């Protein structure tokens, strides 16, 4: 390289990882361009408009929740002025209804220190026998200890969570009614398909790091309003040049050590070239593999071995209120989690929408269902929803549709940890970000934002700029 490094940065990918990286770089005074191939920012956490039988709705591609311990994502919410739009529950409280037995239990925390904060709720949890509750408590503490020691330990990453649960005396019912209830939603896989390291991290951080760590937050407005509209406004205010519909075709190193980023822009795919000393690749793993120059990673083919896991969302508009809580977790039925999206969707303003309710059914680890035709999903889910929510039995369905994300998250299988690369590559000035990189977290909004902030911090350090962490680690 000759002379001073080029002070400009290009961030490729306008998902949460790229957005966080671009904001952090711009906040530190780096002239930053964010290039996103789609017409919108937000990546996998987005909204779209649907004109259907129930009128015009704004629909999230999938319901997204975060936890109080998601400190990086909450930093992003704060930075884009959206904290009040995606508030946290004052205290963890999950209603869990068993459709087969017609009983509702609650997983909620008390105002007590860890681990007693969950003890009272577990002691009364009606979906397990007293002996199962005791064994669950013991296993949770053992898992929490693992999570606090070193969840990234390759020995833990190589084991599967299902076998560990069996070894720790967990019955199939305890796995269904508790471990998978939490694990499928947070990790997007069932216990036998989950790395023990990731499970220990989720339980250790989410349930056992501090009393409020697992308090749940979700957006009261469409995700696109947060991750696209508000984020874009703040990015632009911070000085980031946002290029939408710009697909990065190629990345080359120039003789002076800088980077040449070839972008195909707009509907006509007009070619243009950006130059920068710093590039953050915040795209999905296969796209990163395609764009990475030779020698940037020692074993780039590892990226191709990071698999995908699907999430299916089933959306139903009823002509009346059928769900009398903001959300519900379900047992004894294929339905997993049900969320009320009426207010966020704008349904109430649509003709005939006043008394109607729009619910989104979130189905993680949906390998067996992701390709089923809409009619088959309708035949499967409407009777199940009627079993789960008695008020749905006489209700008229005004609209029914599905959203399918085949690559919603990376597959958190045993051994995935050693495939996930760190932010630094072997090519100077080139950094990796994305929920699939080595954040220690499963594929979440938190993991995505963390990865973007990590890449930006390391890039700033390499540029000799101040590079403090901007968010507080969960205790
Ligand atoms: C249905 C669903 C439900 C989910 N539920 C939750 C939840 O409840 N809680 C939670 O925390 N997480 C959840 N997640 C996961 C979370 O959404 C993701 O982990 C996170 O959004 C990933 O962000 P990212 O920036 O790493 O990647 P992405 O969102 O994949 O962003 C990558 C971006 O790069 C762009 N891109 C790709 N190639 C190029 C190119 N060549 N040039 C320019 N741009 C390019 C893409 O268009 C995309 O915008 C869910 C995901 C889905 C799909």
């Amino acid at each position: 390289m000759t002379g001073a490094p080029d002070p400009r940065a290009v961030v490729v990918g306008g998902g949460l990882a790229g957005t966080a990286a671009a904001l952090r770089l711009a906040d530190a005074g780096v002239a930053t361009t964010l290039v996103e191939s789609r017409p919108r920012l937000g990546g996998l956490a987005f909204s779209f408009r649907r004109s259907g039988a129930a009128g015009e709705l704004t629909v999230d591609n999938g319901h997204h929740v975060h936890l109080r311990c998601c400190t990086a994502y909450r930093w992003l919410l704060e930075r884009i002025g959206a904290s009040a739009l995606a508030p946290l529950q004052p205290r963890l409280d999950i209603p869990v209804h068993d459709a087969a037995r017609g009983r509702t239990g609650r997983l909620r925390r008390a105002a007590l220190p860890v681990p007693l904060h969950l003890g009272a709720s577990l002691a009364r949890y009606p979906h397990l026998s007293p002996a199962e509750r005791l064994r669950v408590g013991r296993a949770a503490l053992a898992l929490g200890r693992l999570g606090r020691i070193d969840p990234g330990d390759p020995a833990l990453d190589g084991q599967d969570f299902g076998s560990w649960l069996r070894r720790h005396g967990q019955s199939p019912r305890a796995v269904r009614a508790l471990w998978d209830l939490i694990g499928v939603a947070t990790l997007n896989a069932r216990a036998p398909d989950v790395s023990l390291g990731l499970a220990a991290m989720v339980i250790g951080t989410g349930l056992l790091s501090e009393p409020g760590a697992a308090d749940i937050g979700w957006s009261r407005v469409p995700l696109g309003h947060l991750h696209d509209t508000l984020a874009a406004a703040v990015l632009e205010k911070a000085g980031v040049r946002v290029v939408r519909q710009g697909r990065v075709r190629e990345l080359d190193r120039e003789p002076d050590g800088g980077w040449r980023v070839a972008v195909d822009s707009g509907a006509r795919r007009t070619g243009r070239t950006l130059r920068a000393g710093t590039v953050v690749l915040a795209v999905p793993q296969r796209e990163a593999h395609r764009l990475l120059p030779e020698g940037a990673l020692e074993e780039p083919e590892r990226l191709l071995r990071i698999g995908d896991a699907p999430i299916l969302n089933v959306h139903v508009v009823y002509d009346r209120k059928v769900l009398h809580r903001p959300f519900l977790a379900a047992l004894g039925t294929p339905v997993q989690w049900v969320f009320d999206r009426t207010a966020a969707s704008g349904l109430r303003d649509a003709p005939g929408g006043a008394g109607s309710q729009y619910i989104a059914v979130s189905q993680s680890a949906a390998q067996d269902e992701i390709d089923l035709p809409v009619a088959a999903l309708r035949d499967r889910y409407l009777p199940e929803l009627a079993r789960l929510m008695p008020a749905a039995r006489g209700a008229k369905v005004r609209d029914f549709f599905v959203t399918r994300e085949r690559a919603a998250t990376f597959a958190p299988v045993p051994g995935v940890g050693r495939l996930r690369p760190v932010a630094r590559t072997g090519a100077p000035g080139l950094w990796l970000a994305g929920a699939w990189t080595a954040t220690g977290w499963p594929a979440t909004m938190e993991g995505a934002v963390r990865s973007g902030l990590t890449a930006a911090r390391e890039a700033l350090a390499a540029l000799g700029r101040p590079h403090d962490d901007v968010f507080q680690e969960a205790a």
Side-chain angles (χ1 to χ4, degrees), residues 11-19 35-38 40-46 61-66 70 73 185 227 246-249 282-284 287 290-291 311-313 362 364 403-405 407-409 433-436 442-449 451:
V11 176
V12 186
L16 297 177
T19 297
V35 186
E36 164 55 48
S37 58
R38 295 196 173 104
R40 50 161 182 81
L41 302 182
L44 285 166
F46 72 98
N61 66 320
H63 190 78
H64 278 64
V65 303
H66 62 280
C70 295
Y73 179 66
H227 301 154
R247 179 174 181 269
V248 170
R249 180 175 17 94
V283 295
E287 187 67 351
R290 186 184 75 75
L291 288 170
I311 299 180
L312 173 79
N313 270 248
S362 181
S364 298
T403 45
R404 310 169 199 264
E405 293 288 356
T409 67
W436 54 275
T444 49
M445 299 189 287
E446 174 69 9
V449 174
S451 74

Side-chain angles (χ1 to χ4, degrees), residues 356-371:
S356 300
Q357 189 177 40
Y358 161 24
I359 63 154
V361 182
S362 181
Q363 299 292 109
S364 298
Q367 284 82 355
D368 295 342
E369 299 186 312
I370 195 76
D371 292 317

Side-chain angles (χ1 to χ4, degrees), residues 57-69:
L57 299 182
T58 306
V59 175
D60 288 349
N61 66 320
H63 190 78
H64 278 64
V65 303
H66 62 280
L67 306 181
R68 195 183 290 280
C69 60

Side-chain angles (χ1 to χ4, degrees), residues 24-112:
R24 184 70 187 95
L25 289 167
D27 284 349
V30 177
T32 303
T33 302
L34 174 62
V35 186
E36 164 55 48
S37 58
R38 295 196 173 104
R40 50 161 182 81
L41 302 182
L44 285 166
F46 72 98
S47 312
F48 59 93
R49 297 284 288 169
R50 170 185 166 85
S51 198
E56 279 270 313
L57 299 182
T58 306
V59 175
D60 288 349
N61 66 320
H63 190 78
H64 278 64
V65 303
H66 62 280
L67 306 181
R68 195 183 290 280
C69 60
C70 295
T71 46
Y73 179 66
R74 289 178 57 229
W75 167 84
L76 181 69
L77 289 176
E78 184 75 36
R79 182 67 186 79
I80 63 174
S83 296
L85 299 176
L88 293 159
Q89 295 177 314
R91 258 192 215 171
L92 172 71
D93 188 359
I94 306 175
V96 185
H97 185 72
D98 185 332
R101 292 164 63 224
R103 285 196 77 177
T104 304
R106 298 189 98 103
L107 290 169
R108 62 179 149 187
R109 77 168 166 99
L112 290 168

Side-chain angles (χ1 to χ4, degrees), residues 28 52 59 93 130 143 161 214-215 221 242 247 295 304 360 396 401 440 455 470:
V59 175
D93 188 359
L143 197 57
F161 185 35
D215 300 343
V221 297
V242 178
R247 179 174 181 269
L304 302 179
K396 186 169 160 239
F401 56 100
V470 289

Side-chain angles (χ1 to χ4, degrees), residues 338-380:
V338 185
F339 298 91
D340 182 359
R341 294 303 293 164
T342 309
S345 67
L347 172 66
R348 290 216 177 93
D349 303 328
S356 300
Q357 189 177 40
Y358 161 24
I359 63 154
V361 182
S362 181
Q363 299 292 109
S364 298
Q367 284 82 355
D368 295 342
E369 299 186 312
I370 195 76
D371 292 317
L372 288 182
V374 176
L377 291 167
R378 191 181 167 112
D379 288 349
R380 171 175 299 186

